[in-house]
């Protein structure tokens, strides 16, 4: 294993650990709840309360941190050793700040639409159609392409700090542009809130693994991660088959 691959795996392990802890908190400690159906839609002052923002932050950690493996690796590799934790922290600060602002806007919009969301299932179906359209749209692909545009970072002093912070905010901005619909849809649900979050996370992580491509209308999000999981399962089955076969060859009496 090369040094670059080892570092990327360490970053991936840390990101997945943070995501897993956030999921545990959401599932067992409370979290962002759906606003659809018969639940109480939050008022504007409730949206701005610390508990609501804290729950949105944990939801963000659960769903979005696994998409940051490549940009975090980019920041680490272009920073001096003594600056790496600081640089990665500044990137995360810029990224999270943009998503927190987006979360306030999203939940304020839902609070304004509260009575309409509770009236019938039509708004939910309408937004589901919007999610599908956005997933297929060329504009979403443009946002995804911008997320793969990892800028050069200066190495020293305040300019280096500003570069990393701006990289985080820009990455967050284009990430919001790409993922706002997927992040909003689970908030409209009650009974299937967590499965919808899981599906949205799967799609967003898969999209972060895809290569940039020309903007055009197409369904996107399932291919890359599904292929990786499928390949991994096939390899495990093949290794198990080889192990069983080798045992049978060495000891024919083994059933």
């Amino acid at each position: 294993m090369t040094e670059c691959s080892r570092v990327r795996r360490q970053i991936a392990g840390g990101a997945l650990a943070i995501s897993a802890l956030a999921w545990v908190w959401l599932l067992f400690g409370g979290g962002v709840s759906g606003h659809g159906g018969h639940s109480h839609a939050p008022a504007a002052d409730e949206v701005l309360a610390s508990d609501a923002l804290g729950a949105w932050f944990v939801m963000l950690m659960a769903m979005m941190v696994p998409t940051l493996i490549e940009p975090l690796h980019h920041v680490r590799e272009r920073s001096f050793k003594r600056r790496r934790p600081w640089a990665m922290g500044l990137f995360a600060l810029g990224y999270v700040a943009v998503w927190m602002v987006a979360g306030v806007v999203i939940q304020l919009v839902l609070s304004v639409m509260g009575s309409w969301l509770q009236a019938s299932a039509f708004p939910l179906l309408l937004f589901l159609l919007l999610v599908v359209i956005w997933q297929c749209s060329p504009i979403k692909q443009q946002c995804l392409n911008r997320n793969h545009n990892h800028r050069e970072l200066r190495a020293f002093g305040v300019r280096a700090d500003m570069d990393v912070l701006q990289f985080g905010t820009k990455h967050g901005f284009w990430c919001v542009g790409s993922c706002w619909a997927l992040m909003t849809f689970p908030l409209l649900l009650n009974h299937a809130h967590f499965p919808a979050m899981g599906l949205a996370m799967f799609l967003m992580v898969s999209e972060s693994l895809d290569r940039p491509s020309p903007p055009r209308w197409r369904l996107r999000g399932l291919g890359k991660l599904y292929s990786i999981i499928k390949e991994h399962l096939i390899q495990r089955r093949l290794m198990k088959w080889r192990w069983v076969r080798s045992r049978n060859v060495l000891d024919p009496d083994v059933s």
Side-chain angles (χ1 to χ4, degrees):
M1 182 186 300
T2 64
E3 178 67 15
C4 184
S5 298
R6 184 184 66 82
V7 170
R8 185 177 279 106
R9 288 198 174 190
Q10 288 178 346
I11 295 174
L16 293 176
I18 292 172
S19 175
L21 289 174
W23 271 102
V24 169
W25 190 92
L26 288 171
L27 290 169
F28 301 105
V32 179
S33 60
H35 302 329
H38 300 288
S39 66
H40 168 63
D45 57 342
E46 294 176 342
V47 169
L48 298 176
S50 59
D51 289 347
L53 292 180
W56 173 260
F57 174 79
V58 178
M59 182 179 173
L60 182 63
M61 294 297 100
M63 299 177 67
M64 299 307 299
V65 170
T67 70
L68 300 180
I69 295 170
E70 284 303 321
L72 284 172
H73 183 262
H74 174 79
V75 170
R76 185 190 183 280
E77 291 300 295
R78 281 154 183 80
S79 302
F80 287 117
K81 185 175 182 179
R82 68 180 183 275
R83 288 181 50 85
R84 284 171 180 169
W86 174 251
M88 294 169 74
L90 282 177
F91 169 84
L93 177 63
Y95 178 86
V96 170
V98 173
W99 264 111
M100 291 302 290
V101 173
V104 171
V105 173
I106 288 171
Q107 296 205 49
L108 284 174
V109 171
L110 293 181
S111 70
V112 172
M113 298 171 59
S115 59
W116 187 47
L117 292 173
Q118 296 178 48
S120 69
F122 177 73
L124 180 62
L125 296 175
L126 188 64
F127 192 84
L128 179 60
L129 177 61
L130 178 61
V131 171
V132 174
I133 292 173
W134 189 256
Q135 280 294 110
C136 299
S137 71
I139 301 176
K140 179 180 173 77
Q141 187 62 58
Q142 289 176 343
C143 294
L144 290 172
N145 291 346
R146 292 295 188 100
N147 269 344
H148 289 283
N149 184 18
H150 296 166
R151 55 178 293 175
E152 291 299 321
L153 305 172
R154 285 174 284 193
F156 300 102
V158 177
R159 292 182 177 180
D161 294 342
M162 292 303 298
D163 276 1
V164 174
L165 189 60
Q166 288 176 9
F167 178 40
T169 55
K170 288 184 178 180
H171 192 83
F173 177 81
W174 293 114
C175 192
V176 169
S178 169
C179 303
W180 66 270
L182 288 174
M183 285 290 286
T184 304
F185 185 69
L187 297 177
L188 301 176
L189 302 176
N190 283 322
H191 304 297
H193 177 65
F194 290 114
M197 283 179 58
L199 177 59
M201 176 181 168
F202 183 92
L203 292 172
M204 291 185 291
V205 173
S206 184
E207 289 168 352
S208 72
L209 298 173
D210 280 334
R211 296 177 179 272
S213 61
R216 63 177 184 271
W217 286 96
R218 69 180 181 88
L219 185 61
R220 55 181 62 84
L222 288 173
K224 188 68 174 181
L225 188 57
Y226 174 76
S227 299
I228 291 174
I229 295 174
K230 181 180 177 182
E231 182 179 354
H232 178 70
L233 292 175
I234 291 175
Q235 288 179 348
R236 287 191 63 181
R237 289 183 180 179
L238 184 61
M239 290 175 63
K240 183 177 179 181
W241 177 79
R242 287 175 176 173
W243 179 79
V244 172
R245 187 179 177 210
S246 65
R247 289 199 63 187
N248 290 334
V249 170
L250 294 174
D251 188 359
D253 294 332
V254 176
S255 59

